[in-house]
Amino acid sequence: MSVSAAILLAASTAFASVPSDVEEFTLSNGIRVITRQTTSANEGVAVFLEGGSRMLDEETAGIENLAFEACLMGSGRYPGETWRSLMDVTQARIEGVYGYDFSAIRLMCLEEDLPELLDAVSDCLIHPELEPAAFERTRDGLLQTLLIEESDPDERIWRVANEGLFEGHPYRFHPSGTVETMSGFSAGDVENHLENRLLAGNMLISHVGPTGADDLGEILEGTFGRIAPGGGDLTPPPPFTIARDTVIFQPESTATAYIVGKFPAPSPSDPDYPFFTSAMDVVSDRFWQVLRTERGLTYAPFAGAASSMRNWAYFYASTPEAAEACSLMAAIMLDGADGGFSEGDLAGTLEVARTGRLMSLSSPYNQAYMLGMYRIQTGDWRNLWIYGDIARDMDPAMLGEVLTRWLGPISWGLVGDPGVCAPVLSSPPSLMEER
């Protein structure tokens, strides 16, 4: 069966697995809401601010990360001590997520605590306290994380690979920022950023839990309904412009080389996306089998696909044998594109991935976040369920078809000893060879 035929077949049957109890509505100020009432004891909520890297530049990369983290230290009506007491009493879980397409605040709490916590979170965003000492601690913590990443080649390698793929693209402005940008931000910068960005048209709220849609709407109108209308005029990120294999190398005296390769992949809104992500899961398992188990070249190689509106595939290895590892990774992907994987290669991997996804969806906290993420990145929250079923019957020919369609120029990132990396620098393996 071809990928296109599988899509048509899935389209006729997949909606059977889509829950019928998900509701959508819009607050009076324009904030979109997706909600699903469940019998769980916990509430899961995700508050999204769309835009991500498209709203950043060389001087502001990381500002939204800092803004959300600093806001969640207290507000006008919930100053620091009151906010911390509320978190202690409710035992709520709250965290920020900062991506290339959006930022989000994720909340998990008991049903009885939801009204007060949504009031507190909304007040933190609208009227952040930004107490000087708390602001400095927050900024210093984020700065320390960046310094650790910069000093650790195993962490830094991912940004190194970005330099080739993201050149000239908004995604080059990393959501976490840089040491230089984070060092210079002030509380005034945070206030200005939120004033310009925190508009109802830029926001989406997703919810899964025992609170019904009518009650949730009433709570949200009294909390997030206070956010000013406007926004909503975001344009999608442009395509990547990488046209040939690129190697970005950073020399470092290490016993091993750190390697990441990235190349453009179908976006979550593309019909190929569920098939391609499944194909990369199979590739990842083959990496482990060949590079680690059979050859003993590396400890933990892996591959996969991201989930950004302008998307990419990635693969990773750390090894003292850089040239051999890179050649093997490229060869494995080319083998998959040529139909060289077996039915057995696919069956176990696809079932493990499906099981993991279903386990993740059992949590209201995760499901609420994924509802919103799929709405933003695919255009339809229903794809959260449809995509999970659509590739279940993938065969080696379908895997080869989708890989062949997307294999292209690689942005290779290497950090390591020049002697170890020299063969890759002079002749990087390509996914376009003999194709």
Side-chain angles (χ1 to χ4, degrees):
M1 182 187 298
S2 67
V3 169
S4 57
I7 292 172
L8 292 174
L9 176 62
S12 65
T13 59
F15 274 94
S17 66
V18 175
S20 59
D21 53 357
V22 177
E23 298 184 50
E24 298 180 78
F25 59 88
T26 303
L27 301 183
S28 59
N29 60 353
I31 293 179
R32 295 152 292 154
V33 181
I34 305 171
T35 180
R36 184 185 189 194
Q37 187 174 16
T38 68
T39 57
S40 167
N42 293 326
E43 304 275 9
V45 178
V47 179
F48 294 87
L49 183 61
E50 296 188 53
S53 294
R54 284 168 287 170
M55 312 310 298
L56 304 175
D57 56 32
E58 288 87 352
E59 297 180 351
T60 60
I63 185 65
E64 201 155 283
N65 181 347
L66 174 61
F68 273 31
E69 293 296 321
C71 284
L72 295 177
M73 297 295 285
S75 73
R77 289 190 292 106
Y78 295 86
E81 186 174 345
T82 303
W83 169 262
R84 290 188 293 274
S85 176
L86 178 63
M87 292 296 105
D88 289 341
V89 169
T90 61
Q91 290 292 289
R93 177 180 178 181
I94 187 166
E95 66 177 350
V97 178
Y98 312 101
Y100 292 101
D101 298 321
F102 57 77
S103 298
I105 293 176
R106 302 179 62 186
L107 170 68
M108 181 174 71
C109 65
L110 296 176
E111 179 182 8
E112 63 202 59
D113 297 322
L114 184 64
E116 185 174 15
L117 285 166
L118 287 178
D119 184 52
V121 171
S122 64
D123 202 58
C124 284
L125 290 172
I126 300 168
H127 302 296
E129 182 183 28
L130 299 178
E131 189 273 327
F135 176 81
E136 290 298 325
R137 286 196 303 273
T138 302
R139 188 184 64 181
D140 288 349
L142 296 175
L143 181 58
Q144 185 64 27
T145 299
L146 289 168
L147 288 168
I148 292 172
E149 177 186 310
E150 194 173 85
S151 65
D152 182 353
D154 204 20
E155 296 287 338
R156 191 171 74 248
I157 184 59
W158 295 92
R159 294 209 193 199
V160 174
N162 287 351
E163 293 181 26
L165 182 62
F166 293 171
E167 183 178 6
H169 195 275
Y171 287 175
R172 70 188 186 276
F173 306 124
H174 199 283
S176 296
T178 67
V179 170
E180 291 73 20
T181 58
M182 191 61 67
S183 299
F185 292 141
S186 67
D189 295 327
V190 164
E191 290 179 317
N192 290 336
H193 183 79
L194 288 175
E195 183 178 352
N196 293 324
R197 292 278 293 123
L198 201 67
L199 301 172
N202 298 334
M203 299 185 68
L204 170 72
I205 297 175
S206 52
H207 160 265
V208 175
T211 298
D214 290 342
D215 290 337
L216 179 68
E218 183 176 346
I219 295 170
L220 291 176
E221 283 289 359
T223 55
F224 285 88
R226 298 178 294 153
I227 289 174
D233 53 355
L234 298 170
T235 57
F240 299 125
T241 58
I242 184 170
R244 63 182 183 277
D245 294 318
T246 303
V247 180
I248 309 296
F249 173 61
Q250 287 189 0
E252 186 154 331
S253 296
T254 58
T256 185
Y258 298 89
I259 305 162
V260 167
K262 294 188 174 185
F263 61 92
S267 300
S269 59
D270 191 296
D272 273 352
Y273 178 76
F275 297 97
F276 184 86
T277 55
S278 296
M280 291 303 294
D281 286 342
V282 180
V283 166
S284 186
D285 280 357
R286 179 64 74 87
F287 277 10
W288 183 277
Q289 176 187 344
V290 175
L291 275 76
R292 177 188 166 112
T293 304
E294 296 178 4
R295 302 294 184 92
L297 293 174
T298 178
Y299 177 70
F302 58 86
S307 60
S308 294
M309 294 176 72
R310 191 59 64 179
N311 211 21
W312 63 91
Y314 55 83
F315 45 91
Y316 163 91
S318 58
T319 174
E321 302 294 339
E324 184 177 0
C326 289
S327 295
L328 280 171
M329 288 190 287
I332 288 168
M333 283 188 283
L334 290 170
D335 185 38
D338 288 336
F341 290 2
S342 70
E343 294 279 359
D345 290 327
L346 274 67
T349 298
L350 296 179
E351 189 56 34
V352 167
R354 181 173 180 271
T355 300
R357 174 186 156 277
L358 292 174
M359 290 177 64
S360 177
L361 287 177
S362 68
S363 160
Y365 180 71
N366 291 333
Q367 190 177 136
Y369 175 72
M370 294 172 72
L371 267 174
M373 183 182 73
Y374 268 71
R375 173 62 180 86
I376 292 170
Q377 295 186 328
T378 76
D380 192 335
W381 58 264
R382 294 170 183 82
N383 289 327
L384 173 57
W385 282 271
I386 294 173
Y387 281 9
D389 291 335
I390 201 171
R392 290 182 63 182
D393 298 322
M394 176 181 275
D395 59 33
M398 293 166 61
L399 182 148
E401 181 185 339
V402 74
L403 282 181
T404 297
R405 189 151 49 242
W406 287 97
L407 294 184
I410 305 174
S411 172
W412 290 98
L414 282 88
V415 175
D417 185 271
V420 173
C421 298
V424 182
L425 300 177
S426 61
S427 181
S430 176
L431 298 180
M432 302 303 292
E433 293 176 357
E434 302 178 3
R435 301 197 68 76

